[in-house]
């Protein structure tokens, strides 16, 4: 943004990131918070897009996330293999107020290890922490790592639930989930799509772990769209259907 | 869950229709009995393919069920005992296809936005089998003809004249007058003096006729379509889809449907479908799935063939005018995995020897001496009677896909053989196709280290029977809401994808009018935040315009 990391020729790389987790844990909300800095209470946010894109600026490079939401196909375990293909990152979400959702998250991690890229970066996110924080302990600042201006997502800590029920709602102790994440080699965060807590760190820490050089090397000559053209085979020249149809800009949101 | 339409089966036609209905604003629930997308068009991993074959080869009860319908549809199944390592790196298609670069499927992919999910590769080469160990490349365009070293100058002139004719509005030309039903091979001979291998190449590898008896009109229509596809994305008119083609494309349409709100339920058997009773208000079908507490209710049922429907006087809407009636026959199929590539340059024929009689035009490209070109994605066509032990009436084809189409691991190729069974036969799929498999394997590039003949790593043979046409049981003009069945699609390699798309559009419009009759109108979300609501909309086309939402380019 303002300070623009211009100067050196910036390397921008496209990274496909998929979301997984039980229905209603807040996957779509997490994306919407990250991409548009919005939250819609008590209702399913409309993604309505093939995927959303969001840039993530690191010290020496810009990473452009192509974020695929499940579009509800997780509900009856009907995610297509296409969903996992060429994903370089995954966020597996559970709800800290629902113990069974962590168990579900573990099965999604296994599914990823079975279906996805072997070197995919996986993060585990315990969402809805706002529900287990008492109003006297406002959410910690979320943006310490961000180089760009802080989003104002954390500006509404006052909305946390009435102090009385704070910790009784929590069904997944942080330590338990963290221990599992460590053992399984996952990044771990507690987040709130509602307040914005942890959201930016989540995506920034994933970005830091993505083997960007490897991706750049393997997609050389490819169409460069991670989801579509083969990131697997590297040297394969794919056909871009829109190319001769209409020279559309590389818009993604429809 | 209450929806406007329930779609049973996720083959390509149903998946496109589900996406179009969902995008138009209808509520859709889309079901498949199988644990994978694509139904009979699915792309499977090597292990999934083995289970697919074994399930259909096993004996089972013949009560009406999806499983028994599949056992009737796929017969004569035999496979090699071996299984393939790196199973997940294979995407093996149950319905191999090549996709014309100009046509309904490509249009639908672009108009629906599904193209962003898929990758494609150009078909590299088409060749015809001309005798043991010998194949000839088939020119796909006028440039190819011009450059060809295989053709005599006279043949080039004739072929050029024919291609000019076929690419244009031939319907009004005198050459065509009264000839539309003439067998195409005969037409080529009578009108354009094209014979032998050249005529065979045109009829079987440009027009994709399945026999010498096919009439002229559809053959010419196909050639024109393919000529017009040439050059859109490259020298070949045809694309091959990544990850197994149609099955992957079906997944893309399903995802688009889901993104627009459709619910997806795989791997559940339909336990029962209850007929709406006359008296009931807002009559609906009630569908109960095995292992699912929640039932589904809908106004419209769209059921692919093989999904057993309850016996009741129903208004199955089907014009039963199958558009490609000529292509409704069983097909013997083989899927063969090899670890050596195919090459279509016949080693024993020196490059220029066939172009015996005088040329001049094409000598300038002498350096084009064919080397052993290893093919990744190619098509080989066996004309009738071209192979000892093969069919004397029908054309067999072999589609090869390798790593380049991201459907096989590096160093492996999947060969799809298909032979339409135009006559009754009692022979097994394996007996019918074995000669073709052997002839094809003899074209693989020999491994200098071990010059033994190529052995397949895996083989699967089976016969696929056409779907039964949906029974148009006397559509008692009852008040029962309709059940729609998709039309059968052509099984011709270059026609299937477009035929499925055209059928999907037909299905879509029938569904729209059936839903209208049931008083259901599509709704779309409108407004933002507080203003958000749903608004009834009109269906204006197969695909609504793609929203141009600007990229949220801002950084955070
Ligand atoms: N309090 C709170 N509610 C949330 C949070 N994230 C999502 N929700 C709510 O949880 C419900 C399900 O969220 P959604 O994003 O649709 O979940 P998905 O099914 O995993 O995509 C919605 O009502 C959201 O408003 C959060 O961090 N805190
Ligand atoms: Mg969601």
């Amino acid at each position: 943004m303002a300070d623009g990391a211009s100067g050196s020729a910036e390397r921008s790389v496209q990274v496909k990131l998929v979301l997984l987790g039980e229905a209603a844990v807040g996957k779509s909300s997490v994306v919407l918070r990250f991409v548009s800095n919005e939250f819609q209470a008590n209702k399913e946010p409309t993604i309505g897009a093939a995927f959303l894109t969001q840039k993530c600026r690191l010290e020496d490079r810009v990473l452009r996330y192509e974020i695929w939401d499940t579009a509800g196909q997780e509900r009856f375990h009907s995610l297509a293999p296409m969903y996992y293909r060429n994903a370089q990152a995954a966020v597996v979400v559970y709800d800290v107020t629902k113990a069974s959702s962590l168990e579900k998250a573990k099965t999604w991690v296994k599914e990823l290890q079975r279906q996805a890229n072997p070197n995919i970066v996986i993060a585990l996110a315990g969402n809805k922490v706002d529900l287990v924080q008492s109003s006297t302990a406002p959410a910690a600042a979320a943006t310490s790592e961000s180089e760009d201006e802080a989003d104002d997502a954390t500006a509404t800590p006052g909305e946390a639930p009435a102090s009385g029920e704070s910790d009784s709602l929590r069904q997944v102790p942080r330590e338990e989930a963290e221990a599992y994440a460590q053992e399984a080699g996952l990044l771990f965060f507690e987040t709130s799509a509602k307040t914005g807590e942890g959201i930016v760190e989540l995506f920034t820490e994933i970005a830091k772990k993505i083997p960007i050089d490897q991706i750049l090397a393997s997609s050389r000559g490819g169409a460069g769209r991670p989801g579509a053209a083969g990131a697997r085979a590297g040297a394969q020249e794919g056909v871009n259907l829109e190319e001769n149809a209409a020279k559309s800009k590389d818009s993604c949101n429809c | 869950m209450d929806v406007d339409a329930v779609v049973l089966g996720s083959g390509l036609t149903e998946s496109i229709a589900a996406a179009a209905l969902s995008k138009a604003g209808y509520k859709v629930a889309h079901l498949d009995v199988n644990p994978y997308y694509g139904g009979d068009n699915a792309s499977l991993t090597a292990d999934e393919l083995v289970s697919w074959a074994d399930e259909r080869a096993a004996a089972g009860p013949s009560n009406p069920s999806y499983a028994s319908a599949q056992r009737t549809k796929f017969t004569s199944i035999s496979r090699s005992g071996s299984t393939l390592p790196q199973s997940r790196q294979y995407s093996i298609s149950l319905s191999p296809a090549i996709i014309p670069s100009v046509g309904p499927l490509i249009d639908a992919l672009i108009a629906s936005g599904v193209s962003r999910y898929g990758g494609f590769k150009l078909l590299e080469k088409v060749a015809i089998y001309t005798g043991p160990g010998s194949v000839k490349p088939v020119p796909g365009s006028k440039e190819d003809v011009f450059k060809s070293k295989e053709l005599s100058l006279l043949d080039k002139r004739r072929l050029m004249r024919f291609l000019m004719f076929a690419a244009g509005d031939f319907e009004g030309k005198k050459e065509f007058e009264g000839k539309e039903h003439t067998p195409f091979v005969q037409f080529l001979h009578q009108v354009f003096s094209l014979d032998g291998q050249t005529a065979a190449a045109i009829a079987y590898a440009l027009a994709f006729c399945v026999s010498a008896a096919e009439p002229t009109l559809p053959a010419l229509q196909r050639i024109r379509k393919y000529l017009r596809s040439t050059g859109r994305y490259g020298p070949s008119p045809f694309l091959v889809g990544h990850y197994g083609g149609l099955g992957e494309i079906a997944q893309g349409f399903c995802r688009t449907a889901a993104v627009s709100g459709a619910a997806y339920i795989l791997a559940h058997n339909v336990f029962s479908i209850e007929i709406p009773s006359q008296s009931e208000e807002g009559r609906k079908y009630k569908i109960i799935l095995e292992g699912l507490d929640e039932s589904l209710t809908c106004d419209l049922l769209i059921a692919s063939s093989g999904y057993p429907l309850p016996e009741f006087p129903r208004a199955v809407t089907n014009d039963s005018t199958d558009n490609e009636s000529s292509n409704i026959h069983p097909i013997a199929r083989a899927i063969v995995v090899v670890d050596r590539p195919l090459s279509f340059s016949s080693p024993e024929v020196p490059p220029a020897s066939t172009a015996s009689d005088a040329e001049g035009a094409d000598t300038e490209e002498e350096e084009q001496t064919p080397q052993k070109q290893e093919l990744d994605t190619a098509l080989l066509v066996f004309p009738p009677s071209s192979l000892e032990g093969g069919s004397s009436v029908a054309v067999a084809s072999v589609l090869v896909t390798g790593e380049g189409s991201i459907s096989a691991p590096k160093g492996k190729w999947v060969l799809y053989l298909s032979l339409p069974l135009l006559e009754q036969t009692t022979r097994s799929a394996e007996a019918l196709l074995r000669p073709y498999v052997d002839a094809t394997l003899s074209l693989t590039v020999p491994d200098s280290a071990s010059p033994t003949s190529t052995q397949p790593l895996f083989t699967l043979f089976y016969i696929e029977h056409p779907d039964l046409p949906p029974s148009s049981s006397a559509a008692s003009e009852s008040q029962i809401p309709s059940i729609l069945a998709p039309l059968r699609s052509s099984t011709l390699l270059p026609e299937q994808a477009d035929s499925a798309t055209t059928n999907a559009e037909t299905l879509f419009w029938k569904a729209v009018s059936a839903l209208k009759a049931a008083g259901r109108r599509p709704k779309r979300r409108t407004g933002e935040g507080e203003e958000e609501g749903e608004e009834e909309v009109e269906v204006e086309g197969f695909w609504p315009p793609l929203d141009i939402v600007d990229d949220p380019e801002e950084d955070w």
Side-chain angles (χ1 to χ4, degrees):
Chain A
M1 291 184 96
D3 53 345
S6 42
S8 63
E10 223 169 49
R11 293 181 303 166
S12 168
V13 68
Q14 184 113 269
V15 168
K16 174 173 171 181
L17 181 148
V18 295
L19 283 144
L20 289 166
E22 193 175 288
V25 295
K27 298 179 294 298
S28 304
S29 302
V30 165
V31 187
L32 217 66
R33 170 59 77 189
F34 177 56
V35 173
S36 319
N37 204 7
E38 286 169 23
F39 178 74
Q40 303 175 336
N42 303 319
K43 92 183 262 300
E44 187 169 331
T46 19
I47 297 291
F51 38 79
L52 296 171
T53 58
Q54 177 65 291
K55 278 188 190 168
C56 185
R57 207 174 280 274
L58 295 179
E59 273 153 36
D60 56 338
R61 62 195 66 175
V62 176
L63 191 135
R64 193 179 151 98
Y65 278 121
E66 181 183 290
I67 304 172
W68 290 45
D69 192 11
T70 56
Q73 283 176 306
E74 82 282 16
R75 210 174 135 207
F76 300 103
H77 247 271
S78 303
L79 280 169
M82 163 183 280
Y83 189 70
Y84 303 93
R85 290 200 208 292
N86 301 318
Q88 286 117 355
V91 177
V92 181
V93 184
Y94 69 94
D95 176 346
V96 295
T97 68
K98 196 175 174 202
S100 64
S101 71
L102 178 64
E103 294 314 305
K104 207 53 183 274
K106 291 178 184 173
T107 65
W108 282 113
V109 170
K110 284 205 195 92
E111 186 75 2
L112 276 168
Q113 285 160 347
R114 205 171 67 88
Q115 294 245 32
N117 250 324
N119 46 15
I120 186 169
V121 177
I122 306 176
L124 181 69
N127 192 41
K128 306 196 187 180
V129 271
D130 58 282
L131 294 178
V132 299
Q133 288 158 340
S134 60
S135 48
T136 50
T143 52
S144 54
E145 300 282 344
S146 166
E147 307 209 278
D148 289 309
E149 72 195 50
D151 60 11
D152 45 10
T154 54
T156 51
E159 277 177 35
S163 45
E165 48 185 21
S166 60
D167 240 38
S168 61
L169 274 174
R170 186 187 272 275
Q171 287 193 1
V172 182
R174 185 188 168 104
E175 302 71 43
E176 181 195 331
E178 201 163 16
Y180 159 70
Q182 192 152 31
E183 181 195 330
L186 320 174
L187 293 166
F188 175 73
F189 298 89
E190 286 196 332
T191 59
S192 166
K194 184 168 177 178
T195 66
E197 177 179 346
I199 303 288
V200 167
E201 288 103 311
L202 168 66
F203 288 92
T204 310
E205 292 305 312
I206 293 171
K208 288 183 185 163
K209 260 190 91 179
I210 302 262
I212 290 179
D213 298 307
Q214 218 170 303
I215 294 169
L216 283 173
S218 72
S219 66
R220 229 190 341 254
R225 185 196 286 169
R232 173 168 127 209
Q236 301 309 331
E237 70 308 353
V239 172
N240 179 4
L241 294 191
E242 275 119 302
E243 210 155 69
N244 287 26
K247 277 263 185 236
S248 61
K249 62 182 182 102
D250 76 301
S251 62
C252 306
N253 297 26
C254 34
Chain B
M1 192 186 328
D2 177 51
V3 296
D4 296 322
V6 165
V7 181
L8 300 176
S10 65
L12 183 57
T13 304
E14 300 88 308
S15 300
I16 296 173
L21 287 168
S22 185
K23 282 200 128 204
Y26 293 105
K27 278 201 202 141
V28 174
H30 196 174
L31 279 50
D32 200 301
V33 168
N34 299 295
Y36 50 80
Y37 282 92
D40 295 342
N41 305 125
S43 306
L44 303 175
T45 65
D47 291 346
E48 285 172 339
L49 180 69
V50 166
S51 321
W52 178 91
D54 292 353
E55 281 162 20
R56 279 148 188 83
S62 61
N63 64 316
S65 67
Y66 179 80
S68 72
Q70 286 277 297
R71 285 192 296 269
T72 312
K73 177 164 181 174
F74 299 98
T75 64
S76 191
I77 301 172
S78 60
R79 68 168 178 92
S80 54
S82 52
T83 52
L84 291 162
Q86 298 174 284
S87 159
R88 307 201 63 86
Q89 294 207 35
Y90 289 92
S91 294
I92 302 180
S93 179
L94 296 177
S95 59
I98 55 177
I99 304 163
S101 300
V102 175
L105 179 65
I106 299 295
D107 289 349
L109 284 166
I110 294 170
S112 63
V114 172
S115 54
R116 74 195 57 231
Y117 296 130
F120 296 84
K121 186 179 190 307
L122 271 188
L123 186 68
E124 287 168 355
K125 249 198 172 66
V126 180
I128 60 166
Y129 186 82
T130 49
S134 153
V135 292
K136 291 231 159 67
V138 174
S141 65
K142 283 173 254 180
E143 294 77 68
D144 282 357
V145 174
F146 193 67
K147 284 194 231 157
S148 169
K149 298 189 181 310
E150 308 273 340
L151 293 162
S152 70
L153 198 58
L154 185 61
D155 262 356
K156 279 190 185 183
R157 284 215 198 92
R158 287 174 177 159
L159 194 50
M160 283 296 206
R161 200 181 132 231
F162 170 74
L163 291 177
M164 302 280 275
F165 162 82
D169 296 322
F170 53 77
E171 287 92 341
K173 299 270 170 61
K174 64 176 189 318
E175 290 97 326
F176 181 68
E177 239 175 64
K179 300 270 185 359
E180 59 182 281
H181 301 298
T182 308
F184 187 49
V185 177
Q186 199 178 315
F187 172 84
L188 290 171
H189 167 73
Q190 284 174 356
V191 181
F192 289 92
S193 310
L194 290 162
D195 289 295
Q197 284 176 6
T198 312
I202 296 171
Y204 306 123
L206 279 187
F208 296 91
C209 294
V210 295
S211 77
E214 265 200 60
T216 296
L217 178 61
L220 281 176
Q221 285 170 331
R222 287 196 292 265
I223 293 183
R224 178 167 60 196
K225 177 175 177 178
Y226 307 146
L227 287 173
R228 289 180 179 178
S229 288
T230 306
R232 182 175 190 187
Y233 298 119
S236 167
F238 299 112
L239 299 172
V240 172
H242 285 172
Y243 297 108
L246 301 191
E248 184 79 359
I249 294 170
Q251 283 178 38
F253 280 102
C254 291
R255 175 163 164 85
T256 287
V259 164
S260 321
Y264 274 84
I265 308 177
L266 296 188
H268 285 273
N269 266 307
V270 177
F271 176 74
S272 70
I273 301 176
E274 282 170 32
I275 317 157
S277 74
Q278 293 281 357
S279 55
E280 227 174 302
E281 196 197 332
R283 295 170 304 274
K284 281 172 182 293
Y285 291 104
K286 185 175 178 191
I287 297 155
I288 297 173
L289 299 175
E290 282 177 22
L292 207 69
D293 298 332
E294 200 177 348
S295 69
L296 292 162
T297 52
C298 64
D299 298 85
L300 173 68
L301 199 55
I302 296 177
S304 16
S305 157
Y307 283 77
L309 296 172
E311 286 295 323
F312 54 83
R314 59 199 145 98
V316 174
T317 313
N318 169 43
D319 300 337
S320 66
T321 44
D322 279 313
N323 32 357
E324 314 289 346
S325 53
S326 61
N327 292 310
I328 304 298
H329 35 242
I331 302 177
R333 293 191 185 277
I335 294 170
V336 179
V337 177
V338 293
D339 57 3
R340 292 182 195 173
L342 247 63
S343 170
F344 287 170
S345 36
S346 3
E348 63 270 40
V349 185
S353 70
T354 39
S356 48
D357 38 340
E359 66 261 5
D362 50 336
T363 41
E364 74 263 28
E365 286 184 74
E366 219 47 70
E367 74 282 359
Q368 240 196 8
T369 310
Q371 309 121 349
K372 288 232 154 299
Q373 195 200 358
E374 297 186 359
L375 295 167
D376 181 85
T377 308
L379 180 68
L380 174 63
V381 172
F382 290 84
S385 304
S386 63
L387 182 67
E388 179 98 35
S391 171
S392 58
V393 291
V395 177
S397 66
V398 186
L399 178 64
V400 185
T401 63
E403 190 199 5
S405 62
I406 328 194
S407 53
K410 192 174 174 57
K412 306 285 189 291
W413 288 263
V414 184
L415 315 181
Y416 298 97
L417 287 83
S418 52
L419 175 70
L421 303 179
L422 306 176
E423 301 167 321
Q424 286 275 353
T425 179
T426 53
R427 298 174 68 198
S428 70
E430 182 158 3
L432 288 161
L433 288 171
R434 183 56 78 180
Y436 294 102
V437 172
D438 293 341
T440 306
L441 294 180
S442 76
L443 298 170
T444 52
V445 175
D447 182 346
S448 45
S450 61
T452 54
S453 64
T454 299
Q455 291 301 315
L457 306 174
F458 174 84
T459 54
L460 167 66
F461 295 92
Y462 61 96
I463 294 176
E464 177 174 2
H465 299 269
D467 287 327
L468 295 172
S471 55
S472 307
S473 62
S476 64
E477 287 299 315
S478 67
Q479 300 305 303
I480 295 174
S482 50
I483 296 179
L484 298 178
L487 294 171
R488 294 187 287 194
S489 297
S490 165
T491 51
L492 217 52
L493 221 45
E495 272 190 339
Q496 184 170 16
D498 282 340
S499 168
T501 311
T502 307
N503 290 344
E505 182 164 6
T506 307
L507 188 59
F508 169 76
W509 287 113
K510 283 181 187 168
V512 169
S513 47
L515 286 166
K516 197 170 193 173
R520 302 292 288 233
R521 301 200 157 268
K523 297 197 182 82
R524 246 174 258 152
R525 288 204 191 88
T526 54
E528 289 272 325
E530 299 299 298
E531 255 100 278
E532 205 171 300
E534 281 194 327
E535 175 189 81
E536 289 194 353
V537 290
E538 284 300 315
V539 181
E540 266 150 22
F542 188 24
W543 303 107
L546 285 176
D547 302 334
I548 309 297
V549 180
D550 280 322
D551 252 352
E553 272 296 325
E554 332 88 62
D555 305 321
W556 39 265

